[in-house]
Amino acid sequence: MRVRFRDKWRDVFLDLPTAPLLTPSGVVVSSHTNEELLYGPDLSSSVADPITGDLPLVHFADDRLQVEHLAIPPPAPLSLQSVQEMWQEVLTSGVPLPSGVATQGRLLHGQASGETTLLPELLDRAHAAARALLSRWPQEATPTSAWRAVELPGGREDLRGTDRATKNITGFQTRDGRCLPVKTLRRVHGASPWTARLLQQASMRLAQEVGLVADHLGHRDRSALLRPFLQVAQQATGNPLMIDAPLSGWPVPLRQAYEAFQAALMALQPTASHNRRPLAPLCYLWRLYEAWAAVRCIRVIDGLAGYTRVLGPQPVEDAEWLVKWVSSDGTTLTALAQARIGRQATRFGGAIPVGVRSVSSDLRPDLLLACEVAGTVRMSVVDAKRRSSEVMNASAAAEAGSKYLWGLRTVSGDGTSAVVSLKGVVLATTATPPKLHDAAARIVGARLVPGENDDAFTKSIATALTQPEADD
């Protein structure tokens, strides 16, 4: 069967021996025939963002569960290698990933941000389903035969079976010379644990994958981590010659455990290498790009002369995380990722000495830089602009930057005054950046693509931190 993914940017396919067992997160089935299964983007989602990475396709072949990967490249100029590099840099930076970036797991082959990264995100549901199943394993009705005394009720008498065995059973003689047995063979209903080869395969494969990652992370409780899955695999093992019942006919606990194991298995697949090519977790491209652009900005500031990082990255109120530096001239610089700025002023839990509000609409810059010098705070914004086109024109740049220049205000300690305090806006883009008419626009575009020279971006950040204040 040919499995294809198609949207307005990509049309890729992979041939499989059988149809996938589950629909991966982030995609929906557009059409399905005997020859082809067509996936498309999940348009019902509120996320207007193309997915990219390796789409895991779990299928049953050669009497076992197998996983193949359909590589979904990002729109040009990015590539799957670019996605891999962005993942690696974001993970090694230590910043919390923004919600909704990944549709799958967040570990990469050879990359891990700590031993707790794997457990909460991928295995909680699977572990809970395994424990619930083991605590009360469903029973399957199985007809069987049993001998019972003739005077006892229960079961349906098997006359033929009783007659065949009468000569071996103690009985008593009647007056007419017949021998009547003291017990008869009865057909009764028995019960045995429900078995399913698919469930056994899924739990065993999951235990193997978890074991590999646990070994890599040096997890202390490896046996406790694997025990529920191995117990389920052992309990689900039945007669290899018997055919599994349809999934729709399984008891609910078995079906829930199977679906949880499949989901965890799909999420764990990006942690392994495939045909010697590192896999990129399936993710929303531009959310990953925004997180990566913020991390690149942090590293640029770390490399600037005179700046010393003193805090972060760490979670903060009204933003996803913050990093703080002090410079040799007494300047305090605070970077706030995905700052939520609305009508009411916020100080981000006291991270900066003044409040920040918007006089236009709710704003959420990818990175807000606040420089504090002698009690005065001046701000700059770094915003990643997702562009699938080759060139970003000046009007698009003006529209993207002006909402911050017009809307952002700092509020004094007593809340009585709100002043314009934005030095400028740096737009990081994958397209060729535009040149605006005049530097007074205070909007600068810089191309930022993994693997390419980022001197222009570095210069833009340094300039935004050191340029003289604009007139209010």
Side-chain angles (χ1 to χ4, degrees):
M1 168 172 282
R2 175 157 293 183
V3 180
R4 183 185 298 272
F5 174 85
R6 180 188 296 152
D7 64 4
K8 65 180 180 179
W9 295 290
R10 288 79 51 93
D11 187 355
V12 292
F13 66 87
L14 179 69
D15 291 325
L16 296 178
T18 58
L21 297 174
L22 292 175
T23 300
S25 301
V27 299
V28 295
V29 177
S30 299
S31 65
H32 191 185
T33 65
N34 291 334
E35 293 78 24
E36 183 177 89
L37 174 63
L38 177 62
Y39 287 129
D42 186 0
L43 299 179
S44 64
S45 170
S46 60
V47 181
D49 196 344
I51 62 169
T52 187
D54 289 278
L55 185 70
L57 305 172
V58 181
H59 62 285
F60 199 79
D62 297 331
D63 202 34
R64 63 188 178 92
L65 280 176
Q66 300 190 34
V67 182
E68 298 291 338
H69 294 84
L70 176 60
I72 303 178
L78 299 175
S79 64
L80 281 174
Q81 179 64 28
S82 303
V83 175
Q84 178 77 11
E85 291 178 9
M86 286 191 288
W87 269 107
Q88 289 175 340
E89 193 161 352
V90 170
L91 287 175
T92 56
S93 70
V95 303
L97 279 179
S99 58
V101 168
T103 65
Q104 296 175 250
R106 297 176 181 175
L107 289 179
L108 295 178
H109 179 58
Q111 298 288 333
S113 58
E115 69 175 22
T116 60
T117 306
L118 170 68
L119 305 182
E121 296 190 17
L122 305 185
L123 298 183
D124 276 357
R125 181 187 168 201
H127 255 274
R131 292 193 300 268
L133 182 59
L134 290 168
S135 66
R136 192 170 183 177
W137 195 279
Q139 300 292 305
E140 184 179 13
T142 54
T144 185
S145 298
W147 289 95
R148 291 189 178 179
V150 291
E151 68 272 13
L152 295 179
R156 184 177 180 181
E157 291 187 1
D158 183 352
L159 297 180
R160 292 183 179 179
T162 303
D163 288 342
R164 285 194 297 267
T166 297
K167 59 182 180 181
N168 299 322
I169 300 175
T170 302
F172 57 90
Q173 295 287 333
T174 63
R175 291 181 179 180
D176 57 4
R178 291 181 300 164
C179 180
L180 296 180
V182 295
K183 56 183 178 180
T184 58
L185 188 64
R186 316 280 182 93
R187 292 194 182 103
V188 296
H189 292 291
S192 60
W194 193 290
T195 61
R197 186 170 54 170
L198 272 179
L199 179 63
Q200 187 267 340
Q201 292 276 355
S203 54
M204 184 58 71
R205 179 66 183 270
L206 180 58
Q208 292 171 353
E209 295 289 344
V210 172
L212 290 174
V213 178
D215 290 341
H216 171 69
L217 296 178
H219 199 275
R220 295 186 296 270
D221 299 322
R222 185 182 187 277
S223 60
L225 195 63
L226 302 183
R227 188 179 300 114
F229 306 128
L230 294 176
Q231 289 176 343
V232 169
Q234 182 179 9
Q235 187 81 348
T237 303
N239 188 342
L241 301 180
M242 296 292 291
I243 299 176
D244 283 351
L247 189 62
S248 58
W250 288 16
V252 172
L254 255 73
R255 190 165 62 247
Q256 289 176 340
Y258 177 72
E259 292 172 352
F261 293 171
Q262 292 282 53
L265 181 62
M266 293 169 65
L268 282 168
Q269 285 306 303
T271 66
S273 60
H274 179 62
N275 295 333
R276 297 184 180 181
R277 177 178 69 82
L279 295 176
L282 195 69
C283 65
Y284 293 110
L285 175 63
W286 298 125
R287 290 196 176 185
L288 176 62
Y289 182 77
E290 290 170 356
W292 174 74
V295 169
R296 289 299 305 158
C297 183
I298 297 305
R299 295 198 171 182
V300 167
I301 298 173
D302 282 338
L304 293 179
Y307 281 89
T308 302
R309 190 191 298 197
V310 294
L311 184 65
Q314 68 177 38
V316 65
E317 182 182 331
D318 290 329
E320 293 199 341
W321 48 266
L322 70 77
V323 178
K324 193 180 287 286
W325 298 263
V326 294
S327 68
S328 54
D329 62 0
T331 300
T332 299
L333 174 61
T334 304
L336 296 152
Q338 299 293 326
R340 296 181 289 275
I341 304 170
R343 180 193 300 269
Q344 301 299 321
T346 175
R347 296 189 182 187
F348 305 100
I352 57 177
V354 297
V356 181
R357 64 180 294 256
S358 171
V359 298
S360 55
S361 62
D362 290 346
L363 300 174
R364 188 161 179 163
D366 294 327
L367 200 67
L368 179 67
L369 301 176
C371 295
E372 179 188 354
V373 184
T376 301
V377 177
R378 307 293 292 185
M379 297 184 298
S380 301
V381 163
V382 180
D383 213 35
K385 301 316 295 179
R386 38 191 183 270
R387 292 295 176 209
S388 300
S389 56
E390 295 182 0
V391 178
M392 184 180 187
N393 57 48
S395 60
E399 180 180 352
S402 295
K403 62 182 180 181
Y404 299 114
L405 294 171
W406 295 340
L408 282 183
R409 299 291 189 272
T410 55
V411 181
S412 62
D414 57 9
T416 57
S417 62
V419 298
V420 179
S421 61
L422 196 62
K423 287 185 175 183
V425 177
V426 177
L427 300 177
T429 176
T430 58
T432 301
K435 290 186 177 180
L436 279 75
H437 294 326
D438 197 294
R442 291 185 284 164
I443 300 174
V444 178
R447 182 178 170 92
L448 187 62
V449 176
E452 292 189 5
N453 187 300
D454 62 353
D455 288 348
F457 180 73
T458 301
K459 181 180 179 181
S460 299
I461 298 299
T463 302
L465 297 177
T466 60
Q467 68 185 11
E469 296 182 4
D471 295 334
D472 292 344

